Amino acid sequence: MTSISQLTLAEKAALTSGSDTWHTQAAGDVVPALTLSDGPHGMRRQVKSAGDALGLNNSLPATCFPPAVALGSSWDPELAHRVGAALAREASAQGVDVVLGPGVNIKRSPLCGRNFEYFSEDPHLTGVMGAAVVTGIQSLGVGACVKHFAVNNQETDRMRVSAEVDEQTLREIYLPAFERVIRDARPYTVMCSYNRINGEYASQHRWLLTDLLRGEWGFDGLVMSDWGAVNDRVAALAAGLDLEMPPTGTDAEIVEAVRAGRLAESVVELAGERLLKLARRVENRRRFDGWDVAAHHEIAREAARAGAVLLKNDGGVLPLAPGRRVAVLGELARTPRYQGSGSSHVVPTRLDNALDALGAAIEVSFAPGYRLDGHPDEELAARAVEVAAAADVAVLFLGLPDAAESEGFDRTTIDLPAAQVELLRRVAEAGPEVVVVLSNGGVVSVSEWQECASAVLEGWLLGQAGGSALADLLLGTHSPSGRLTETIPLRLADVPSHLYFPGADGRVVYGEGRYVGYRHYDTLGTEVAYPFGHGLTYTRFDYSGLETRETGENEWSVELTVTNAGERFAHEVVQLYVAFEAERPVRPRRELRGFAKIGLNPGESERVRFTLTGADLAQWSVSRGGWAIDAGPFAVEVGASSRDIRLRAELSSPGDGYAGPLTGMSTLGEWLAHPVGGRVLKELLSQGTGLPDFERADPALLGLALGVPLIKFRTFGIGLSAEIVDRLVSAVEQG
Ligand code: BGC
């Protein structure tokens, strides 16, 4: 027997649910059982009977690569691809067919407890990085699983909450990263999210799982549930969810629904076919007995170096100059926090810490300074201040403890623990120059304390080699090259979703719409602590020679030269934005549309090239139910962050030529702007119908009139009748 259709109904139904926490159901010699395992930044392969989706039980040791917060900050898809391939090798060695990741949800609020697992507040960057991880994983034939589809941007009430989000915001912010991954990287599987979207559970959202995902985007793989996300097996299958994970033992509901005519057997069969297709796809995955633990640790170290972001470096205190007396302070230097909690928790193969790594290279003194559980400890603090006083430079490791952020709950503050901030003040007063190194999965506020530090190195959660990677950067064997993928606001209250997050009463309204992250701050010109895209290096880059060329209709090439004008090798992340200026905001002020990470030696230059197309200018039009490109001016901005634009060119788009239907309810302004409507209306006016000549009218009157639906002029006693409007409408219809 080789086909699903030959199975009994009960056997087919059984295929639509797992056999246990980490395995799919087998069906005789037709479909083999497949092994699934977390997670996005390292394998969490649990062995028998210890299966859980919460990271409670141990798993086999595996390389803990930097979580997405840090990998994303590398802005380096090639590196993400290599990390993906290394993950796949470990997956394969552990008998895993599908890796449950990456997660490509948007960071809507810095409070989301799972931000460490996501790449960015920006959909373009998220999509590019997510696609790179997927192609990396699948390059060895192991399946990837892009998650959590969709609009899963908080942990509070995640299994029930309804994300209330308008269509334009969905299309422009919360769906594009998924779309890019599906179209560019063709993942074998997708995992639906727990939450509801505008009232409907993602697991039974037909538009999402079928019309959009398969119909529009061409997804041809298998959709599985998040662990426990299915509420109604029959509704889920009918909506396009192929596999419930883990099993709830409710296969009989499906059999019953088919027998009662509530569910077509073909739907059950199709889900089985998709499982079989997945099995065939992963059947040829490359087999490995193990992996080179040291080599993978090196990849983790490279990725960690690439992900740390140097926020400030006054007076060039970093890299640490030889001969200076260095104090390393803070428990986090010795006991690193290098990954987040929950289903992505990895048991590492090794673990570096910054204290040992620094101590191996230079002489350092050390004091832990504070307790990780946040309890004040005067003795520890006083000792650290003493050690600081005897040093030229104090490298103080601060950050969030495990208990502060995790999958499953959101933070309520972005502040560092008070005892740590207090210690920083005292250390600064003791006299040394202060370098702060941060460890945190979600953004922490720097405004209250950063004046106490000459340098701040944002180390996020950097995986198992984070400690040595940080030492590489502090000592200057490598230059920092990470860039912020999310804005650090001055205050939590400045965050655009602040009034709405995380909602109440089962709903969270996405009231800020598409103004997420820098789209909000840059549109309003709000001051921020550090902008999207920001990050310093140990060198300086010059931008010059911007050239734009129209290469087709709504297509432009953009070129510029970047030169390393400093003294050291480093990487620059060149960012391309499209920008729209208007008297009042009609769309986000600027949006990232491209980036390139390039490594340059001192004095070296490189020509960087981008292509812009109409899709980069398009906005979602609700009335058209599609993407729309407005005719008119826009600018190309190239820079080192969203607030550090170095080069700019003004361009103009002819638009997409769309001239929508006109009706009597279209305004005078819409009529005049319409290529045919404008003409026929002007013809009518020139025939002396008694209508006023709007174009010569007093500006205030014209301003008023432009917004009035044409048919309404009928009642204004100016000679426009319903018949005339009808005639105009049919003239437009005939072109
Ligand atoms: C998480 C998923 C994870 C799954 C299996 C869920 O709680 O949301 O990201 O893949 O558990 O551990």
Side-chain angles (χ1 to χ4, degrees), residues 107-108 121 487 496 514-522 532:
K107 301 190 197 211
R108 175 179 177 234
E121 69 189 18
T487 310
R514 54 190 176 158
Y515 294 91
V516 173
Y518 71 93
R519 284 171 168 75
H520 167 92
Y521 303 115
D522 285 6
F532 176 81

Side-chain angles (χ1 to χ4, degrees), residues 61-63 90 290-300 348-350 464:
T63 310
E90 296 190 18
W291 67 90
D292 182 337
V293 170
H296 281 202
H297 187 76
E298 254 331 289
I299 298 175
T349 56
R350 300 181 175 179
Q464 68 180 43

Side-chain angles (χ1 to χ4, degrees), residues 22 38 44 53 114 147-148 158 191 194 226 343 407:
W22 301 123
D38 286 312
R44 186 172 69 96
R114 220 171 174 181
K147 64 189 186 181
H148 309 87
R158 68 171 165 161
M191 184 191 291
Y194 286 120
D226 198 346
S343 63
E407 174 181 344

